[in-house]
Amino acid sequence: MDVLGHIGYGIRPSARGRGLATQALREMIALGRDRGPGRVLLVCFAGNHASVKTIERCGGVLESAVRTGSGEVLRYWIEV
């Protein structure tokens, strides 16, 4: 199974809380499916509860939590 890439996204503060990140992530996952079977990596800071919820809502499976100089980072994989 190939690694199709890394997905990153950001939502401006005035647009948060409307489900836009979930919608955008689902669209990006769908684009990945068009490229064939594989998986994508998503990372976020452990304290970014909105991103954790978005990733998990879209099927992200936690692989690990890694300590960095900037704080704890969670690594998720989504199969496409």
Side-chain angles (χ1 to χ4, degrees), residues 21-44:
T22 301
Q23 181 181 350
L25 181 54
R26 286 183 177 147
E27 289 292 324
M28 288 184 270
I29 292 167
L31 290 172
R33 283 192 184 104
D34 291 344
R35 297 188 65 192
R39 61 187 186 153
V40 292
L41 171 66
L42 296 104
V43 298
C44 68

Side-chain angles (χ1 to χ4, degrees), residues 34 36 46 48 66 77:
D34 291 344
N48 187 339
V66 179
W77 289 98

